[in-house]
């Protein structure tokens, strides 16, 4: 990796850490979406650290399995739930799994054949985070993401 790329990654990490700190100091919650399995594979150690430090983490089943290097989704989510305050796992046409401490919920998904799935995860996050930010129950927040 070039020095410029290394500096850019360090600057991005510092910017994220600063944003999370400022968010929390203002009374907010800091979280992240895992992005994609390729990104998780490249930055696994950093993502594992973030899962332990942030208030919530959103990922799909492939990203969670990649993060914990397992083919067993249940094991990956169990480990993640032990590491993080709140985890969310989207599962491409199957119920969304949400875990916060001992509280577990699922949000039903109506399976469709999309014309283009670009932005589907972002759309889920928008609805879910709105629910979370406005104090909705965990299951309701998950349902809001699925809408």
């Amino acid at each position: 990796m070039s020095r410029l790329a290394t500096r850019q990654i360090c600057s991005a990490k510092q910017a994220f850490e600063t944003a999370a700190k400022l968010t929390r100091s203002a009374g907010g919650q800091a979280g992240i979406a895992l992005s994609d399995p390729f990104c998780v594979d490249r930055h696994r150690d950093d993502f594992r650290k973030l899962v332990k430090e942030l208030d919530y983490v959103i990922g799909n089943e492939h990203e969670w399995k990649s993060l914990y290097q397992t083919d067993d989704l249940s094991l990956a989510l169990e480990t993640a739930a032990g590491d993080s305050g709140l985890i969310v796992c989207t599962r491409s046409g199957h119920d969304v799994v949400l875990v916060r401490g001992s509280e577990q919920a699922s949000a039903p998904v109506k399976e469709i054949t999309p014309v283009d799935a670009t932005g589907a995860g972002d759309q889920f996050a928008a609805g879910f985070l709105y629910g979370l930010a406005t104090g909705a129950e965990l299951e309701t927040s998950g349902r809001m993401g699925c809408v």
Side-chain angles (χ1 to χ4, degrees), residues 32-36 39-41 43-52 67:
I32 193 168
L34 292 177
S35 188
D36 67 56
C39 189
V40 170
D41 287 342
H43 303 285
R44 181 172 289 107
D45 291 340
D46 291 324
F47 277 114
R48 296 273 305 258
K49 181 181 174 195
L50 286 171
V51 167
K52 292 178 180 183
L67 184 64

Side-chain angles (χ1 to χ4, degrees), residues 105-146:
S106 65
V109 172
K110 180 180 177 186
E111 190 171 357
I112 61 165
T113 303
V115 174
D116 183 353
T118 303
D122 296 330
Q123 287 296 108
F124 171 83
F128 169 74
L129 292 172
Y130 178 80
L132 186 66
T134 57
E137 297 289 326
L138 193 57
E139 181 180 354
T140 301
S141 296
R143 287 172 157 289
M144 292 171 82
C146 292

Side-chain angles (χ1 to χ4, degrees), residues 21-81:
K21 182 179 178 183
L22 291 171
T23 298
R24 283 187 169 142
S25 69
Q29 296 182 49
I32 193 168
L34 292 177
S35 188
D36 67 56
F38 177 72
C39 189
V40 170
D41 287 342
R42 288 182 48 210
H43 303 285
R44 181 172 289 107
D45 291 340
D46 291 324
F47 277 114
R48 296 273 305 258
K49 181 181 174 195
L50 286 171
V51 167
K52 292 178 180 183
E53 295 175 355
L54 296 173
D55 300 302
Y56 64 87
V57 182
I58 302 170
N60 68 36
E61 61 189 317
H62 306 292
E63 294 159 352
W64 286 114
K65 290 192 290 189
S66 175
L67 184 64
Y68 292 101
Q69 296 178 291
T70 181
D71 290 328
D72 184 342
L73 180 60
S74 295
L75 176 62
L77 295 181
E78 182 180 317
T79 306

